[in-house]
Amino acid sequence: MTKQSVTLRSEPSNNPQLLNPSLSPTAIVNGIAVRFKDQKIQDLAAENLPPSDEIMNELESIFGEKLIFSQSMGNKTHIFRFQAPKSGKELTELIEQARMLPSIDQIEADIRVKMQSIPNDPLFDPYQWSMKGQGQGYIGGINATGAWDTTQGDSSTIIAVVDTGVNPHPEFADRLLPGYDFFVTPYAPGGSDPGDWTAQNECDDNEPAEESSWHGTHVTGIIAAQGNNDIGMAGVNWNTKILPVRTLGKCGSSLSDMINGTLWAAGLPVPGVPINPYPAQIMNLSLSGEGVCPPLYQEVINRVLDQGILIVVAAGNKQGDISQYFPGNCDGVLTTIATNFNGDATSYTNLNVINPNTMGIIAAPGGDGSRSLGIISTISIGTTVPEGFSYSLQIGTSESVPHVVGIASLMLAINPELSGIELNSLLPATSRDFPEGTLCAQYNNLCGLGIADAENAVQAATTFKKYTLIYEFYNSSSHDYLLATSKAQMAAINRGEAGPNWQLTGNLFYAWSGATNGAQSVCQFYNQGANSYFYTVNSGDCNYLQSLNPTNAVANDLWTYEGISFYALSPVNGTCPNSSDPIYQVYNLIQGRVNHRFATSLEEYNSMIAQGWLGEGITMCVAIISS
């Protein structure tokens, strides 16, 4: 490896001042700093005392929540904290509205200012351009340094590396979980990589001999190499657990092994194999095959997605279109295109030429050109079998995938309730624009929405802690509807734990996860006889149903109170407040059994009424999440 000359220093991520009139959409804002015009209120600030409730009411009405007085500044300015940190994007318009109040002299966002973490790993400075950010002069990197001040990962996160196996490199050996080997016959516990070397003509006529690639170990280092430990390199996530699932070996893999390995990694049953006790939350599939997505594999992907898991896959290295290579062309996966040091498409990557949109496509560093501009990571030493441990620079879409997987795992460290469907949307949405003049910037759809950005993604994960994604299910046998109010509950229903024939309808909505913005608790009740759930944001209804069953017994003719499931607003005179969406309630007796549905649109509501259901109007109002 040829050492690069790189100058690197720790520097602030924002201009180091408390009040910043230029509010970035991705800034994390803890609160606001306000100076009032009234001299008496300024005098209160000088005494470190809060303003009157009357003054605060008009300010709080704009921000939609109770502002918490923190302290005063030396320039007679009050500092107020939000109930939870907000993004610059959601605050820009609100602050402009507040500036128009006649009582306000000056108001600014109290932006979080921080220094970027730079690990002391000796290979980080000269080689790991892909982990650095635009602020440090590395326009092609993922800005992991900008995220590490917020989180360096959590040991509760589990990532499955479905690959050639993973050997216990010192960078992450203590975080490897017991894996499984689906490349051998019969399948066996393990998941390490014995080597995938081949002799000449072993795989096909005229095929040259190849040394072992240590591919899975290289991928894993990008995700999970321990940072700031004075050795080697730094991965994106320094604490996550890795589940090694070996499905690749000499001459590649078979579809059946891929299917079984993917199912097992998700904690789903595989005949003759014990259930995986450590189901993954994210899967890394740094592999690609030519052709359409095999229907059998799409079925497996659908089942895995139904467990709330994110699947990140390689676009492929054939300079073709991603529509011609699987699993990058399978539905529901997040496909990763490789970019170079300059933030443009690499010379080898498959691209999004045919697809008119960028849904489920993102770009991340894969390296190109000089090997010194490749991606450094962990490997085993040995041309055939493992004989030790080292580091190597490699290039490919295989290297792009673990960058995105690592970012997703940082998001889960902040917000473990994020499901795969949310991560699949948030990662592209928080990506950074391609640099001007690049091929990716010139053609909008070619490389996806942008380059994965760790700091932006982690900020989004923080913002989304305020919300709970609600999933609707329908039972094709009983014609019942129910809501799953957490990722875990959704996954359990999909595994059949609520009985057979429950299927996701595709109708989703966001509620609040706490009592913010005036949201009230939604009580959840269950009726065993009808196998039906009922939700009410009306405290009177909640208290009445509980009074009918004071011991909270479980019985066929009683509603059992199961606690607070989420938070929503109450409609006012049959309509929802601004910045909220209506949920319509319909009611029916199906074969003598109580059944409710909470419809997410007026069209669905009217359709249910046309089918004989009783319309009960708007019963709750839920969050609107802007794009």
Side-chain angles (χ1 to χ4, degrees):
M1 297 184 293
T2 304
K3 185 175 181 180
Q4 299 178 34
S5 176
V6 179
T7 302
L8 184 64
R9 66 179 184 273
S10 177
E11 57 187 5
S13 59
N14 292 299
N15 191 13
Q17 56 184 18
L18 179 61
L19 303 181
N20 190 337
S22 179
L23 187 56
S24 166
T26 60
I28 298 177
V29 184
N30 294 319
I32 51 174
V34 184
R35 184 165 61 213
F36 294 91
K37 290 180 180 178
D38 192 318
Q39 184 61 48
K40 292 180 180 179
I41 302 177
Q42 291 188 18
D43 290 343
L44 288 174
E47 298 294 326
N48 204 30
L49 295 172
S52 67
D53 290 343
E54 182 181 359
I55 288 293
M56 291 304 301
N57 285 342
E58 62 176 6
L59 195 59
E60 290 169 347
S61 66
I62 289 177
F63 290 94
E65 65 177 82
K66 181 73 175 175
L67 299 173
I68 304 167
F69 173 63
S70 174
Q71 63 185 59
S72 298
M73 295 168 58
N75 59 354
K76 298 184 178 181
T77 298
H78 287 89
I79 300 174
F80 303 99
R81 293 280 177 255
F82 297 126
Q83 300 288 336
K86 301 180 185 297
S87 70
K89 181 178 181 180
E90 62 185 316
L91 279 178
T92 298
E93 184 177 343
L94 297 177
I95 287 177
E96 289 306 313
Q97 291 179 26
R99 282 199 176 106
M100 303 301 293
L101 292 174
S103 61
I104 301 298
D105 177 48
Q106 183 177 351
I107 179 170
E108 303 291 354
D110 192 3
I111 298 171
R112 184 182 299 173
V113 180
K114 61 186 180 182
M115 302 296 290
Q116 292 186 337
S117 290
I118 306 299
N120 60 19
D121 307 79
L123 297 177
F124 183 83
D125 191 347
Y127 295 110
Q128 290 197 263
W129 61 269
S130 69
M131 297 291 174
K132 300 168 188 176
Q134 194 168 12
Q136 299 162 288
Y138 295 90
I139 59 177
I142 64 167
N143 193 20
T145 51
W148 286 334
D149 284 304
T150 302
T151 180
Q152 294 153 9
D154 191 272
S155 60
S156 65
T157 310
I158 298 175
I159 298 170
V161 176
V162 184
D163 212 291
T164 62
V166 180
N167 287 334
H169 197 285
E171 291 275 18
F172 49 73
D174 60 344
R175 290 179 281 125
L176 284 179
L177 294 168
Y180 226 81
D181 192 334
F182 290 88
F183 189 75
V184 296
T185 304
Y187 299 150
S192 63
D193 186 353
D196 56 358
W197 80 98
T198 59
Q200 186 173 358
N201 302 327
E202 184 175 357
C203 297
D204 205 350
D205 292 341
N206 302 317
E207 286 285 336
E210 291 189 357
E211 297 178 357
S212 290
S213 66
W214 315 120
H215 190 268
T217 304
H218 197 267
V219 164
T220 300
I222 298 169
I223 299 170
Q226 178 67 52
N228 215 40
N229 62 348
D230 279 315
I231 64 166
M233 56 169 290
V236 183
N237 189 317
W238 306 349
N239 296 299
T240 189
K241 297 285 199 334
I242 297 293
L243 180 73
V245 184
R246 184 174 182 240
T247 61
L248 295 169
K250 287 175 182 269
C251 310
S253 179
S254 68
L255 181 61
S256 59
D257 294 341
M258 284 297 305
I259 285 175
N260 283 335
T262 303
L263 286 170
W264 185 84
L268 297 171
V270 174
V273 178
I275 290 289
N276 169 25
Y278 305 104
Q281 293 138 297
I282 307 170
M283 286 194 193
N284 189 114
L285 297 178
S286 290
L287 48 90
S288 181
E290 192 168 356
V292 299
C293 181
L296 278 176
Y297 197 52
Q298 183 65 63
E299 287 181 18
V300 167
I301 287 173
N302 293 343
R303 291 183 63 190
V304 171
L305 296 175
D306 283 348
Q307 294 303 295
I309 297 169
L310 173 69
I311 304 175
V312 188
V313 305
N317 302 334
K318 299 294 186 179
Q319 300 176 299
D321 188 82
I322 58 176
S323 65
Q324 305 303 312
Y325 296 85
F326 75 91
N329 57 9
C330 296
D331 292 337
V333 301
L334 183 56
T335 303
T336 307
I337 287 170
T339 49
N340 58 26
F341 182 88
N342 296 313
D344 205 357
T346 62
S347 59
Y348 54 80
T349 186
N350 290 342
L351 296 167
N352 181 40
V353 179
I354 297 175
N355 192 348
N357 61 58
T358 54
M359 294 296 292
I361 305 171
I362 195 169
D368 205 359
S370 166
R371 287 188 64 82
S372 63
L373 296 182
I375 307 299
I376 196 164
S377 189
T378 51
I379 60 166
S380 293
I381 296 173
T383 57
T384 55
V385 298
E387 298 172 355
F389 304 99
S390 188
Y391 303 84
S392 168
L393 285 156
Q394 297 180 20
I395 63 173
T397 54
S398 286
E399 279 61 46
S400 302
V401 176
H403 284 91
V404 177
V405 165
I407 294 172
S409 67
L410 292 180
M411 296 173 75
L412 288 180
I414 291 290
N415 186 356
E417 278 300 309
L418 288 172
S419 66
I421 190 172
E422 294 175 282
L423 293 169
N424 198 311
S425 297
L426 286 173
L427 283 158
T430 57
S431 62
R432 196 172 64 253
D433 290 343
F434 296 106
E436 289 186 15
T438 60
L439 191 68
C440 290
Q442 184 178 356
Y443 297 97
N444 290 335
N445 301 326
L446 193 66
C447 306
L449 279 180
I451 301 171
D453 188 288
E455 183 174 16
N456 290 348
V458 164
Q459 288 178 5
T462 302
T463 298
F464 271 71
K465 291 177 73 173
K466 296 185 296 185
Y467 306 106
T468 298
L469 185 61
I470 310 298
Y471 311 80
E472 184 187 56
F473 281 84
Y474 172 68
N475 192 296
S476 57
S477 176
S478 65
H479 305 292
D480 289 330
Y481 290 87
L482 65 78
L483 300 178
T485 59
S486 71
K487 177 173 68 171
Q489 188 180 36
M490 179 270 290
I493 295 170
N494 277 321
R495 289 194 299 270
E497 294 180 15
N501 302 318
W502 287 106
Q503 297 175 336
L504 286 164
T505 65
N507 291 323
L508 309 168
F509 65 86
Y510 272 108
W512 286 275
S513 55
T516 59
N517 300 317
Q520 302 174 43
S521 57
V522 175
C523 297
Q524 177 174 304
F525 293 89
Y526 175 71
N527 184 282
Q528 178 178 263
N531 190 25
S532 178
Y533 284 92
F534 177 70
Y535 305 88
T536 178
V537 72
N538 185 306
S539 58
D541 288 347
C542 183
N543 294 333
Y544 173 69
L545 287 174
Q546 288 186 73
S547 72
L548 296 179
N549 186 8
T551 63
N552 212 34
V554 177
N556 288 350
D557 59 346
L558 293 173
W559 286 101
T560 305
Y561 175 61
E562 294 192 334
I564 297 170
S565 54
F566 53 90
Y567 290 79
L569 295 172
S570 289
V572 179
N573 297 323
T575 61
C576 284
N578 291 336
S579 302
S580 66
D581 271 339
I583 297 296
Y584 303 89
Q585 183 174 302
V586 288
Y587 165 81
N588 203 351
L589 283 173
I590 298 178
Q591 298 175 350
R593 295 167 50 242
V594 176
N595 194 14
H596 290 91
R597 185 186 184 190
F598 297 85
T600 55
S601 74
L602 183 60
E603 182 180 2
E604 289 176 281
Y605 179 64
N606 289 332
S607 174
M608 299 300 289
I609 293 173
Q611 296 172 46
W613 291 63
L614 176 64
E616 297 182 316
I618 299 172
T619 57
M620 66 181 77
C621 308
V622 295
I624 295 176
I625 309 296
S626 66
S627 59

